Amino acid sequence: MAVLAYSLGKREINQHFTIKNAKLISLAAVIILLVFHTALRYYGGGDTCEWLLSSGRYLGENVWQPYGCMMHKYKSIEARTCLAKKRVAFIGDSRIRQLFYSFIKIIDPERKEDGNKVHYERTQFLLLGMFSDFLWYPEANNSMRERLVSWTKVSGSHAVLISLHGGSTEALQQYKVNLTAMSAPLERLAEDGEIYWVLQDPVNEEVLSENRKMITNQQLELYNEAAVDVLNSSKRNGRTRVKLLAASRQAALETITQSDDGLHLPESTRNVGAMVLMNSMCNNLLRPIDGSCCQKVPPPNLLQKLSAFVFLGSALAFLGFHILGYNHHRRPVPPDVESLEEKKPATAAAPLGPKAPFQALCRMGIIMAYFYLCDRADVFMKEQKFYTHSTFFIPLIYIFVLGVFYSENSKETKVLNREQTDEWKGWMQLVILIYHISGASAFIPVYMHVRVLVAAYLFQTGYGHFSFFWLKGDFGLYRVCQVLFRLNFLVLVLCVVMDRPYQFYYFVPLVTFWFVVIYATLAMWPQILQKKANNSGMWHLGVLAKLLGLLLFICSFAYSEGFFESVFSVWPISKLFELNGSVHEWWFRWKLDRFAVIHGMLFAFIYLVLQKCQVLSEGKGEALFSSKISNLLLFLSAVSFVTYSVWASSCKNKTECNEMHPYISILAFILIRNIPGYARSLYSSFFAWFGKISLELFICQYHIWLAADTKGILVLIPGNPSLNIMVSTFIFVSVAHEISLITNDLAQVVIPKDSTALLKRLGGLGLLILPLIVK
């Protein structure tokens, strides 16, 4: 009865919630969110600069998150580049002096804070032509005003940070008068530079010394309100040129209890204020990827404009065909109620009509517009990643519970059958997605375990392509072009739309490279197929000889970085593998799991030979080997798995631990998953569904789930991280599935089976991309 209820429950869910309905809900959600964020920007007031300076929250200890944007952590060399030939002056009391030192330490980390209470200090960087001054003005009075007036004669770019000493409430009115008198010089200074007025930080009244007991948070709040009123009253065109720095005050509200004297802030809090200032001054100049605050959106380049015209033209062509009645199109295939995946029709599908490719490009254009809005336009918000064990392990447990809930009987019980490999790719991809969005790379044990998953993907690449060529013997151009198109279509479109190099999406170049290597290895003379090897066992030695040659090829590249770079730095190959003008990143990615593919090929060869010799028992419910051998292999696999996991959990250094290759863990997993007959007879349709779109999921996450080219997190629902993840994930998965269908549709049109037509299209494609390569 429980099993029946379980099965009926799943069927009831799947009948009402299909992938088609999910996509319609996603489209409606995107439209609503787009309207909401547009209204928030233009009618709610504020931009990313104001958000950076005014509000935020602590994600964890010493990790500050501004509202709605990402704050870059500046290094010394970046700060020096930004501030070269500039003057930065800090005017105020002892707390501003501390902010001054925190700011200087970003530029020069070795700089020590002077314990003497000097009233004037200058830090000069001769090679940069940069000056940074601190001037002691504890009160906003005529002396400060005269100093500001004198600075209106100073040319060049400079920033002034001003604060006041907490005075008595009786002096509040005089303070307003003084500040009003200073507002005009401040505005004039802001015409040529940046002026920041630092709102007073709170105090811990309980631990203040007796001579500071008159300073209260209520009093400080009155002074802050007065400063805001006076400076906002001097607005021009609805905005004051003097910027109010309130973020450090908000950070201090959470940390003031850590103050030693109740007045001066902990160093970590002062560092937040200094880094906020650095981001405000430098982000638009240096444009760091993970610093979205205070960055103006660059205009689209020529290729991005051309891509927009192509998608728009496709939409017009589709509309024209539709009006003219060209509705000859493949009949939609009804979805499988259980798996939510489209069933393959029993008969061959009708050829796509002339309207179909334009419809596919029109859909792709809408999706690419969403990509652009998410990660290239200033529409949606972005936040930094922050790792905690709960943000990684709780979603991990949740998805594995769902995976078990959707367990099904497998249609076949062979080792690594299609359903099982889809399941394998699916759960690995989900783990990798959680790993990326949680920022778990900061935790080395998790990083080392995820490394196994990436190596396992490459293992499957070697296993799958070797099995196909060994069994089918199809080395034709059509097959090659189909694989290359399906692997690269989305990435090539993103390279144009998102203005990123091909190597930026490193996994696709990696699997593309290994497919070409596998093809070349097996297609070169003599072509050895299973049919030929069945006639003579000597051909098996020929396959092993090819694999040995491939191993030597890999080793020659792996152990000579100079040789590797000399090969891949040659034009036009360099255009595919360079990132920021160097192939070093490609070298790192390639070398990391360099033996995974050949391990997959070798495993496929041994398995298929054993299968042909009928050594394996692959019947339903049957153990793969005899009882003794099966138990021994399961024991050794479990020991290997646990041993690697213990070693990986004790890793302290990524560079050293990367030299350890986790291939024994992959083999152990395959044996544990396939030796018991009952394990081969079941699979998770939930994981398998994601496995069918694993490539699209991996690529799409760069821009519509993560943000800032994977450095941050896309924020569609501000103020509610849990709801935001649910909504953005729902849309992200729907988009990935749709792109998978679009790729399949276009592959049928772009890659014809006729060899002559295919060669002509390849020639035309070569002429089309030649200008891009030359550039």
Side-chain angles (χ1 to χ4, degrees), residues 237-363:
N237 299 322
R239 164 174 311 199
T240 178
R241 292 194 180 99
V242 180
K243 301 176 182 179
L244 295 170
L245 176 55
S248 58
R249 175 180 174 275
Q250 190 167 354
L253 288 171
E254 301 186 36
T255 61
I256 189 60
T257 55
Q258 302 171 21
S259 172
D260 293 331
D261 60 4
L263 179 67
H264 297 98
L265 302 177
E267 184 178 4
S268 60
T269 311
R270 302 198 305 265
N271 291 342
V272 168
M275 198 60 71
V276 166
L277 288 169
M278 193 66 74
N279 275 257
S280 180
M281 291 188 223
C282 299
N283 279 3
N284 201 43
L285 177 64
L286 300 186
R287 308 193 67 81
I289 293 174
D290 60 343
S292 62
C293 303
C294 289
Q295 273 201 47
K296 294 181 180 178
V297 178
N301 60 28
L302 179 60
L303 285 178
Q304 289 171 319
K305 292 177 181 178
L306 288 175
S307 66
F309 282 123
V310 169
F311 289 128
L312 182 60
S314 299
L316 294 175
F318 166 68
L319 184 61
F321 278 116
H322 185 75
I323 293 174
L324 293 174
Y326 284 87
N327 295 316
H328 182 56
H329 192 283
R330 181 182 61 191
R331 179 184 296 177
V333 181
D336 186 336
V337 171
E338 286 296 317
S339 67
L340 303 183
E341 187 59 51
E342 292 180 346
K343 292 179 179 177
K344 293 183 178 179
T347 58
L352 297 176
K355 171 182 167 182
F358 296 106
Q359 183 183 22
L361 286 174
C362 180
R363 287 149 53 201

Side-chain angles (χ1 to χ4, degrees), residues 48 51-72 247 250-251 254 272 276 290-293 381-386 711-715 719 721:
T48 57
W51 294 345
L52 169 70
L53 295 170
S54 62
S55 58
R57 70 184 191 278
Y58 276 107
L59 296 178
E61 187 178 0
N62 303 335
V63 180
W64 182 252
Q65 170 60 61
Y67 174 77
C69 62
M70 296 170 61
M71 187 171 75
H72 178 64
Q250 190 167 354
E254 301 186 36
V272 168
V276 166
D290 60 343
S292 62
C293 303
M381 300 177 182
K382 302 175 179 67
E383 286 191 355
Q384 294 140 209
K385 299 177 185 179
F386 179 71
K711 302 295 184 181
I713 299 172
L714 179 68
V715 178

